[in-house]
């Protein structure tokens, strides 16, 4: 068994710094869309999963997911921490299942859903094109 290099107090502090809103990838997507003239609401709580960006007049929602936390099939999403492997595997798979349920619930309500993955953010031209295509469709 691999032991953690940080004390429980240090680990708790590090984990408390991880945010679920206003993350760097989310801010990049927001800036891109705002510059293009799109206006949106943030984290609408009455919608399943509280989408990161909501375009109510278009019935469209965008989630900006971190590859690790939401289990993308890229190299970052396949990482499993060495410490407490069973806990992390279970937690991350539950995150993935919850995301799937939330997208399905939104679609049943007539919403179109788009997911932007953290690893895609660096491809600015490509992601801009995909976002515009999704929103103008």
């Amino acid at each position: 068994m691999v032991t953690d290099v940080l004390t429980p107090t240090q680990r708790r502090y590090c984990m408390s710094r991880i945010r679920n809103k206003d993350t760097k990838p989310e801010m990049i997507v927001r800036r891109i869309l705002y510059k293009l003239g799109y206006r949106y609401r943030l984290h609408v709580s009455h919608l399943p999963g509280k989408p990161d960006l909501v375009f109510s007049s278009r019935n469209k929602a965008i989630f900006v997911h971190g590859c690790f936390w939401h289990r993308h099939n890229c190299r970052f999403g396949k990482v499993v921490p060495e410490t407490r492997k069973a806990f992390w595997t279970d937690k991350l798979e539950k995150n993935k299942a919850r995301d799937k349920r939330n997208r399905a619930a939104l679609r049943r309500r007539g919403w179109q859903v788009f997911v932007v993955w953290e690893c895609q953010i660096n491809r600015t031209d490509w992601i801009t094109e995909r976002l515009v295509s999704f929103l103008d469709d």
Side-chain angles (χ1 to χ4, degrees), residues 17 33 39 44 64 82 90 94 102 137:
R17 300 284 129 249
L33 292 173
R39 298 302 178 256
V44 177
V64 182
E82 290 293 321
D90 182 53
K94 284 180 181 175
N102 288 334
D137 183 23

Side-chain angles (χ1 to χ4, degrees), residues 36-132:
L36 292 172
Y38 293 98
R39 298 302 178 256
Y40 44 81
R41 292 186 53 211
L42 300 173
H43 314 289
V44 177
S45 60
H46 72 272
L47 291 175
K50 288 175 42 174
D52 297 310
L53 292 97
V54 175
F55 302 84
S56 299
S57 63
R58 301 167 190 257
N59 263 24
K60 296 187 180 192
I62 296 176
F63 288 97
V64 182
H65 285 334
C67 295
F68 171 75
W69 295 104
H70 298 272
R71 308 314 288 162
H72 189 223
N73 59 356
C74 69
R75 66 186 178 108
F76 304 111
K78 294 179 180 174
V79 174
V80 178
E82 290 293 321
T83 308
R84 299 177 62 205
K85 228 176 219 193
F87 165 80
W88 282 106
T89 301
D90 182 53
K91 176 180 181 40
L92 297 172
E93 287 305 315
K94 284 180 181 175
N95 286 354
K96 189 174 179 177
R98 183 193 63 228
D99 292 340
K100 188 175 180 178
R101 283 191 315 271
N102 288 334
R103 287 192 309 270
L106 280 167
R107 286 187 183 109
R108 280 192 303 274
R109 291 184 180 193
W111 287 77
Q112 291 180 345
V113 180
F114 186 71
V115 177
V116 177
W117 292 97
E118 178 182 19
C119 64
Q120 299 170 333
I121 295 297
N122 294 334
R123 299 162 55 188
T124 310
D125 293 339
W126 180 82
I127 199 65
T128 301
E129 186 179 306
R130 296 283 309 262
L131 288 165
V132 169

